[in-house]
């Protein structure tokens, strides 16, 4: 009746009978999160830290096995830092900056992800998804102990939703039978196959790529450098059309082989068949196979991430091919975008129309992620004869000519979206200011005398005053940097001498000025909280 | 205004055309396709301007 669909790596929230199951009348919850994956847990943690009572329903009792997502980007770490769990991730993760791309035997392209210093967090870490999820749940337990209103119910499977204008009724199955609750808001964080999405009969349109990849995670003691290595048409040619080798914690290495479209999955997943591929790639190396999977990939999204009081977050709303690590990283940014908006609406600090900007901003971001990951996929798995000809022409030229190397695309790695054109963006009145911090952009980190800028910005709206005293704006917190250092100048001033930045709770820029009156700041704040839309 | 040069721009067109044919002499169809692709990408980089490239693709498609 409630059989596990997968084995658990960590049993973190065993089923317990909840008082709601014995209630005469269906208990009411402001926010119910369906699905306890990385996005559901980040979502619940963020909301609860903002004082919103949040219930997570998961049909399992913990974190599933299998490394799955392994690349977590700087922006994700910055968000997790705000949530209070980035240090555990960085401590456990493998930090890497260097990527190498080969064509056959030859190195054709090399990249360094973090060419500039002065950021608290590395460009990327590799960390198995179960660790990422466990650190989030550990942080939730700590927050609970400190009084954060968050509850996780394991082995609670949502059977059906009755969506109404002002919320939803939810039917839940447990090992002890069914019960019902109601909610003001339902957040569907139940993955690419989202039963919530299917249950509501909503579409998920896009493009399926006709190729498949074999993932093998192997444990081995080798002294390969900590870098991402990618081969087009590798010298170990029979192993795959392309291949990837990437280090994870615990002496685990991720290996990917591109194995074509018409493959017999069961045969390819047999250990001797997998070993035949790996032995070609790593002759003479001893290893243990710890996890394998075959995946095909799609780039698709829902037309809208909001359906009344049901919101889709993460893979349930959109799916991208894995090249570029834009799946989990994009989902964490969805959560980052939605949490403060939903908290403000629930606290009567903003109109409900603010929630529509979650849809607008994250659809825009999703299109960017899909565009990038589609282009990478087109390069890695050429879909026509002529696209293969051009792909190989790029690789051929790249060996000797630097100009061709930027065309090489083995994945454009996840960077946060700049919400250009967002209805929440206010004034951009900083002549000579840098493009990277225009309204809609995520704030870049910068070192301060006593820590880092993003940490100082905090979790609510904040006015950042650089080279000037902040104007007196009652109720709005401010952070002042009287004499900016070189990094702060480069990221927030460039040709300007002073600046005021109004920054949202998700640390995206709402508006910026050389200087501004309290009235102008108030207007930007109203705009950034959706009050002009109501 | 067109960014692409569509007026006559090569002093000795026969020489240019001959360079192209000579480069392909003795190549198989696959080798010629690969050479053309490398040549297009190399000239793309020389041009650099996306508007010019867009217009050139339009001319070629007509």
């Amino acid at each position: 009746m409630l059989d596990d669909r997968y084995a658990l790596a960590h049993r973190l929230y065993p089923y317990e009978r909840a008082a709601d199951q014995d209630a005469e009348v269906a208990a009411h919850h402001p926010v119910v999160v369906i699905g306890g994956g990385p996005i559901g847990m980040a979502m619940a943690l963020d909301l609860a830290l903002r004082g919103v009572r949040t219930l997570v329903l998961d049909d399992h009792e913990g974190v599933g096995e299998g490394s799955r997502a392994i690349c977590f980007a700087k922006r994700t770490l910055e968000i997790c830092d705000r949530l209070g769990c980035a240090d555990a991730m960085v401590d456990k993760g493998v930090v890497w900056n260097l990527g190498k791309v080969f064509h056959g035997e030859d190195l054709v392209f090399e990249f360094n992800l973090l060419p500039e210093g002065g950021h608290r967090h590395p460009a990327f870490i590799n960390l198995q998804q179960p660790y990422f999820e466990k650190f989030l749940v550990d942080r939730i337990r700590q927050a609970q102990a400190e009084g954060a209103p968050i509850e996780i119910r394991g082995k609670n499977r949502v059977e059906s939703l009755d969506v109404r204008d002002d919320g939803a009724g939810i039917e839940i199955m447990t090992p002890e039978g069914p019960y019902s609750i109601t909610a003001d808001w339902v957040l569907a964080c139940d993955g690419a196959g989202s039963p919530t999405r299917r249950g509501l009969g909503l579409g998920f349109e896009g493009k399926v790529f006709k190729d498949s990849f074999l993932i093998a995670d192997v444990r081995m003691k080798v002294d390969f450098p900590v870098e991402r290595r990618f081969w087009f048409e590798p010298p170990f040619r029979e192993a795959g059309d392309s291949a990837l080798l990437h280090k994870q914690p615990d002496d685990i290495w991720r290996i990917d082989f591109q194995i074509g479209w018409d493959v017999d999955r069961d045969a390819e997943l047999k250990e001797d068949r997998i070993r035949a591929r790996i032995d070609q790639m790593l002759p003479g190396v001893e290893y243990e196979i710890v996890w394998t999977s075959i995946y095909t990939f799609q780039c698709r999204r829902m037309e809208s991430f909001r359906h009344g009081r049901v919101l889709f977050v993460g893979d349930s709303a959109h799916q991208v091919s894995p090249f570029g690590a834009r799946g989990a990283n994009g989902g964490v940014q969805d959560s980052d975008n939605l949490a403060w908006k939903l908290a403000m609406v629930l606290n009567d600090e903003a109109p409900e129309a603010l929630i529509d900007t979650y849809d607008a901003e994250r659809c825009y971001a999703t299109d960017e992620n899909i565009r990038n990951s589609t282009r990478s996929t087109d390069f890695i798995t050429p879909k026509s004869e002529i696209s293969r000809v051009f792909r190989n022409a790029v690789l051929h030229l790249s060996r000797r000519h630097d100009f061709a190397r930027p065309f090489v695309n083995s994945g454009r790695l996840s960077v946060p979206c700049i919400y250009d054109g967002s209805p929440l963006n206010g004034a951009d009145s900083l002549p000579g200011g840098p493009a990277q911090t225009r309204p809609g952009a995520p704030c870049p980190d910068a070192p301060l005398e006593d820590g880092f800028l993003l940490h100082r910005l905090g979790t609510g709206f904040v006015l950042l005053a650089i080279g000037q005293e902040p104007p007196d704006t009652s109720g709005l917190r401010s952070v002042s940097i009287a004499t900016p250092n070189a990094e702060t100048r480069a990221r927030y001033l460039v040709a300007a001498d002073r600046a005021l930045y109004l920054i949202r709770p998700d640390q995206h820029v709402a508006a910026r000025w050389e200087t501004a009156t309290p009235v102008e700041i108030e207007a930007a704040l109203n705009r950034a909280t959706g009050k002009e839309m109501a | 205004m067109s960014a692409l040069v569509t007026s006559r721009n090569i002093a000795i067109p026969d020489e240019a055309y001959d360079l192209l044919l000579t480069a392909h002499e003795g190549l198989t169809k696959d080798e010629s396709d690969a050479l053309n692709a490398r040549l297009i990408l190399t000239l793309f980089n020389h041009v650099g301007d996306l508007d010019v490239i867009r217009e050139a693709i339009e001319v070629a498609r007509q």
Side-chain angles (χ1 to χ4, degrees), chain A residues 377-395:
Chain A
T377 309
D378 285 342
F379 195 87
I380 293 167
T381 68
K383 60 181 183 299
S384 68
E385 196 44 49
I386 192 66
S387 78
R388 180 175 294 274
V389 168
F390 277 115
R391 197 280 301 271
N392 288 347
V394 166
L395 294 172

Side-chain angles (χ1 to χ4, degrees), chain A residues 385-386 389-390 392-394 396-397 403-404 407, chain B residues 30 33-34 36-42 44-45:
Chain A
E385 196 44 49
I386 192 66
V389 168
F390 277 115
N392 288 347
V394 166
H396 182 112
L397 286 167
F403 78 81
F407 287 122
Chain B
D30 284 354
D33 286 348
N36 279 340
R38 294 196 296 271
L39 187 59
I40 289 169
L41 291 166
T42 304
F44 256 40
N45 184 67

Side-chain angles (χ1 to χ4, degrees), chain A residues 429-445:
Chain A
S429 308
L430 182 64
Q436 69 163 321
T437 42
R438 64 187 182 269
C443 290
D445 208 357

Side-chain angles (χ1 to χ4, degrees), chain A residues 393-433:
Chain A
V394 166
L395 294 172
H396 182 112
L397 286 167
S398 295
R399 294 174 192 211
R400 249 192 288 171
H401 300 287
D402 183 66
F403 78 81
R405 289 172 195 153
F407 287 122
V408 175
N409 190 343
S410 69
R412 301 286 183 229
L413 289 159
S414 171
V415 287
C417 179
I418 296 177
Y419 302 131
D420 284 319
S422 166
L424 302 184
N425 291 349
D428 185 9
S429 308
L430 182 64

Side-chain angles (χ1 to χ4, degrees), chain A residues 189-260:
Chain A
C189 306
D190 47 357
S194 177
T196 307
R197 191 187 62 231
R198 278 190 269 126
L200 296 177
L202 299 168
F204 201 42
E205 301 305 320
K207 184 170 169 183
V208 177
F209 292 90
K210 294 203 164 176
D211 214 317
S212 46
F213 280 70
L214 171 77
I215 307 179
D217 277 5
V218 303
R219 183 177 285 115
M220 57 185 181
K221 299 258 190 207
V222 288
D223 54 1
F224 298 151
V226 180
E227 58 193 21
R228 178 185 192 264
R229 289 205 232 168
F230 190 98
W231 288 263
F232 292 102
E233 305 186 330
F236 38 93
R237 196 68 180 80
E238 284 160 39
D241 291 331
S242 68
L244 176 81
L245 180 67
H246 216 174
K247 191 179 195 318
Q248 303 172 51
D250 305 336
D251 292 317
I252 307 285
W253 294 76
R254 163 67 58 89
I255 301 174
D256 274 18
F257 295 115
Q258 182 187 345
I259 61 172

Side-chain angles (χ1 to χ4, degrees), chain A residues 157-386:
Chain A
R157 187 177 68 203
V158 172
E159 298 290 273
S160 68
L161 279 184
D162 171 26
V163 183
R164 303 188 285 260
D165 286 350
D166 61 348
I170 306 171
E171 298 292 325
I172 301 163
M173 179 55 77
T174 75
E176 296 183 298
Y179 72 104
S180 315
I181 57 172
T182 57
D184 291 327
W185 294 89
V186 175
L187 311 184
C189 306
D190 47 357
S194 177
T196 307
R197 191 187 62 231
R198 278 190 269 126
L200 296 177
L202 299 168
F204 201 42
E205 301 305 320
K207 184 170 169 183
V208 177
F209 292 90
K210 294 203 164 176
D211 214 317
S212 46
F213 280 70
L214 171 77
I215 307 179
D217 277 5
V218 303
R219 183 177 285 115
M220 57 185 181
K221 299 258 190 207
V222 288
D223 54 1
F224 298 151
V226 180
E227 58 193 21
R228 178 185 192 264
R229 289 205 232 168
F230 190 98
W231 288 263
F232 292 102
E233 305 186 330
F236 38 93
R237 196 68 180 80
E238 284 160 39
D241 291 331
S242 68
L244 176 81
L245 180 67
H246 216 174
K247 191 179 195 318
Q248 303 172 51
D250 305 336
D251 292 317
I252 307 285
W253 294 76
R254 163 67 58 89
I255 301 174
D256 274 18
F257 295 115
Q258 182 187 345
I259 61 172
W261 178 240
D262 290 315
V263 293
D264 178 343
R265 296 174 75 95
D266 294 335
E268 293 301 341
L269 282 170
K270 292 218 164 79
E271 176 156 351
D272 56 341
R273 185 73 197 104
I274 294 172
R275 281 190 173 270
R277 292 184 191 274
I278 299 172
D279 290 346
Q280 269 216 16
M281 181 186 196
L282 306 168
V285 175
E286 277 189 33
Y287 57 87
E288 173 199 348
I289 297 175
V290 296
W291 184 66
T292 59
S293 174
I294 287 179
Y295 64 88
T296 56
F297 33 87
Q298 295 90 37
C299 283
R300 51 189 177 177
R301 73 162 169 92
M302 299 179 72
E303 202 178 315
S304 169
F305 301 167
R306 178 176 183 189
H307 289 268
R309 291 298 188 91
V310 182
L311 302 168
F312 292 83
V313 189
D315 280 357
S316 67
H318 47 71
Q319 200 180 4
V320 294
S321 78
F323 309 111
R326 288 168 182 267
N329 288 301
V332 171
Q333 288 164 46
D334 289 346
S335 163
D336 185 47
N337 187 284
L338 178 57
W340 68 272
K341 294 175 180 174
L342 191 52
M344 286 191 85
V345 169
L346 280 161
N347 292 333
D348 288 327
E349 293 164 342
E352 196 176 315
L354 184 60
I355 301 301
D356 290 328
T357 69
Y358 161 71
D359 182 45
E361 291 185 334
R362 292 313 297 169
C363 280
Y364 181 78
T366 293
D367 287 344
E368 183 174 293
N369 284 331
I370 286 179
R371 187 163 59 246
N372 276 287
S373 105
T374 299
R375 286 171 176 177
S376 301
T377 309
D378 285 342
F379 195 87
I380 293 167
T381 68
K383 60 181 183 299
S384 68
E385 196 44 49
I386 192 66

